Amino acid sequence: MSTLHDCREPEGRDAGLRHAVDALRRGELVVLPTDTVYGVAADAFDADAVAALLAAKGRGRSMPPPVLVHDARSVDALVERSASRASSSVDDLAEAFWPGGLTLVCWAQGSLRWDLGDTGGTVAVRVPDDELTRTLLAESGPLAVSSANLTGRPPGETAAACRDQLGDAVACYLEDGARDGGVPSTVLDLTGARPEVLREGAVSLAELRRVVPDVRAPRRPEPEPQPESRSEPQPGPASGPERGPHPAAEDAGAPDPVDGSADER
């Protein structure tokens, strides 16, 4: 049976945080507010809980959730900084934009015992600009979080509305007033030789380049070739395979990540 706590009042807030921490430690799910939408959270190190999160939303392992942390120091236990030159930018970016609307895709520590889904060895991490959720994160540790909705439906603007979608699949709902989605986070990939924007959002390219000058702009899709009526198409130069978009570009924001972007997630 799920419980909804009104965290806008001190007593409800205290009771809600206690219940949420206990539920997460038992491997249960919690709905919490973020700076953009409500998210559904699981202990990032509990593979069964993460699987339950994906199942509650009606999605599979191909769209792994991002991870929310309490502060920038929490990233050190999750990220393999030596895996690429770009990872050395984490500290500067975190100082400039966290808490806030920037999701960083990094190589994950190889020693971590977790299973977020088909991540390809990476982790998408963010510090949300929401005081209630950061208080919870300080107690719970890193949480896998996706937007609190069934896949294909918009996120609820309140915890009560999220409960209408997710019901008893979630043990604890933390109500903290309406969230209207806002601007999704910018997703920045730090796993290559150069940082690359995967999704534009709350932090602009110009702002990023003031901190890390060599950030690459997001790649634009190639235009569809137009049929030629009078001549056969000529083969173009050979090229290697294109790298597809990282799952975090679709699941780290709202409607279907935890902080805004078209339903992908």
Side-chain angles (χ1 to χ4, degrees), residues 219 237-245:
R219 303 182 191 186
S239 61
E242 285 292 319
R243 178 178 170 185

Side-chain angles (χ1 to χ4, degrees), residues 170-184:
V170 173
C172 175
Y173 291 82
L174 301 181
E175 180 65 77
D176 197 35
R179 297 293 190 274
D180 62 2
V183 180

Side-chain angles (χ1 to χ4, degrees), residues 12-30:
R13 173 189 170 96
D14 292 344
L17 287 170
R18 287 195 301 271
H19 185 192
V21 170
D22 289 344
L24 290 164
R25 289 173 178 168
R26 291 194 299 267
E28 297 173 331
L29 306 182
V30 170

